[in-house]
Amino acid sequence: GHETRGSDELFSSVSNGPYIMSTTANGNDSKKFKGDIRGPGVPSRVLHIRKLPNDIAETEVISLGLPFGDVTNLLMLKAKNQAFLEMNSEEAAQNMVGYYSTVMPVIRNHPVYVQFSNHKELKTDNSPNQERAQAALRALSTSHVDTAVAAPSSVLRVVVENLVYPVSLDALCQIFSKFGTVLRIIVFTKNSQFQALLQYPDGASAQAAKLSLDGQNIYNGCCTLRISFSKLTSLNVKYNNEKSRDFTRPDLPSGDSQPTMEHPAMATAFTPGIISAAPYGGATHAFPPAFTIQPAVSFPYPGLTVPALPGGLASLSLPGATRLGFPPLPAGVCVLLISNLNPERVTPHCLFILFGVYGDVMRVKILFNKKENALVQMSDSTQAQLAMSHLSGQQLHGKSLRITLSKHTSVQLPREGHEDQGLTKDYSNSPLHRFKKPGSKNYSNIFPPSATLHLSNIPPSVVEDDLKMLFSSSGAVVKAFKFFQKDHKMALIQMGSVEEAIECLIEFHNHDLGENHHLRVSFSKSSI
């Protein structure tokens, strides 16, 4: 693997001197810059990015970081095909390194390497090169964008021009899920143009996708994306099939989904992986595997290994054999492998409650001989995908969760009489499943972990202080609390951090508040 290669490919002149950043008149920033010696990978919010293509643009490097958080600084060392990128938090940087360790980032056919830098922050000067980097940062970073003005809608309208090869709904999902969870998507043909409407949970994701993808080609020289904000604020999807999909409602019928042949893109809805080196079977040599999407999107599902394409390119490709049907993961993949758990504190119950926010957990197994690993079986692959995309990199019991797809198709229960100290639990008949009812409104209230929790099912006798006391009894800090005006059965409570909120959700979801009321806890999209 590339992790063990020595520091020969890094800076040639490495010394332990101080970190200097002064630029010579010709704008060559790398002369006096002291390089990173490959450390043990101690987390830092500064990332060192290597093996960049020669004509790399600032925006391409920034785009690698944007899906994970705001990028606060950038230093390009073009002469060495390297760059340093500073994220707004160490957590964002850890998520980025974790993601790219399972999904190799590719910029225009170049696999790029991302690792933590030894520098804790970037100090930059005002050379011409730096001016350009700063301008690119201002243009792309969400903190400088007044999102109310910039992102009028969380729904994008996408037109694909110059449609030489067909583009499917799944291909678009794959490309756009780099910037946020795609909730709903509809594809159609209008004025003989292939178009799509695509809804994110928030305007910031839509804004980031539009900034990065507008004007990009899906294939070399064709299938150009033209993206604008839609006047619609939400999409209403009735069927899950190759023309429309609502990822929050896996229970929707497929309707009469015979693809109509009015458009070449529809005719290919069921051919094997569309965006691959060869758009059509047998055409392996005709089309070079060249993708011009920046940042080149590998797979939005970390850990799903895509067979290497020619030139080792992990591109926009679906595995060749995948039929593009619903759901997006291979139908059987509903078991997740969770690693980097805290073996002293993890229990099947805590994983059941946490993963249960994103789907119905059927079984949990903590591995007997390696207790920092566990298998979690969800009830279907859409839920597995949701749990993986929302919980990867989150902190649980002081450790950052790593989640990949397991090769197991189900979690085996121990044989009769062979108890494994309660490390395997079957929850298939649990009364606590949130998504049992088809079309449950819980599907539309799925949000990433946040410091603010949504509480419901509060009995009339329970007052603000009772709930604050309860939540601080775990040792967590309660920062704010607010009952819903119209309905005192519900409230928002803001904890000191996302990690505290995660632990409180695990501890107090289904807590008995008396009067036959069990508290329901979920992550909120709003803050107080």
Side-chain angles (χ1 to χ4, degrees), residues 169-213:
L169 175 148
D170 289 80
L172 290 172
C173 282
Q174 229 180 287
I175 293 165
F176 281 84
S177 41
K178 187 72 161 49
F179 300 91
T181 309
V182 175
L183 297 180
R184 300 175 187 89
I185 179 170
I186 300 168
V187 296
F188 54 95
T189 302
K190 186 176 172 186
N191 310 338
S192 71
Q193 268 189 323
F194 179 58
Q195 303 198 12
L197 289 165
L198 184 132
Q199 182 183 351
Y200 283 112
D202 54 75
S205 303
Q207 173 76 359
K210 181 175 183 293
L211 274 169
S212 284
L213 296 175

Side-chain angles (χ1 to χ4, degrees), residues 320-470:
T322 309
R323 297 265 166 218
L324 296 184
F326 184 76
L329 294 181
V333 181
C334 54
V335 181
L336 299 170
L337 171 63
I338 325 302
S339 52
N340 203 35
L341 291 163
N342 181 333
E344 307 297 313
R345 297 190 53 192
V346 70
T347 61
H349 176 78
C350 86
L351 294 175
F352 166 67
I353 297 291
L354 178 58
F355 281 75
V357 173
Y358 299 105
D360 292 339
V361 175
M362 294 296 139
R363 292 176 181 175
V364 177
K365 181 193 277 294
I366 293 173
L367 302 191
F368 183 76
N369 49 0
K370 194 154 189 279
K371 293 195 173 60
E372 45 278 355
N373 290 359
L375 294 170
V376 173
Q377 180 180 341
M378 307 298 288
S379 71
D380 66 42
S381 54
T382 306
Q383 295 180 356
Q385 155 64 33
L386 273 172
M388 186 158 69
S389 58
H390 284 302
L391 294 173
S392 287
Q394 295 291 345
Q395 296 285 320
L396 175 63
H397 305 142
K399 295 180 69 107
S400 175
L401 287 175
R402 289 204 199 105
I403 308 177
T404 54
L405 296 173
S406 166
K407 54 184 184 298
H408 296 283
T409 50
S410 68
V411 169
Q412 297 298 309
L413 295 175
R415 295 198 306 281
E416 286 294 313
H418 288 73
E419 283 314 299
D420 59 352
Q421 305 174 355
L423 293 175
T424 307
K425 288 271 194 264
D426 183 7
Y427 295 103
S428 49
N429 297 318
S430 167
L432 294 188
H433 287 159
R434 297 178 189 236
F435 304 99
K436 263 209 299 276
K437 292 194 201 71
S440 151
K441 65 176 186 304
N442 291 334
Y443 277 110
S444 48
N445 289 317
I446 291 178
F447 301 110
S450 56
T452 305
L453 296 168
H454 179 279
L455 311 180
S456 59
N457 205 27
I458 302 167
S461 62
V462 169
V463 296
E464 175 170 335
D465 278 352
D466 299 328
L467 289 162
K468 282 177 157 169
M469 287 278 292
L470 175 68

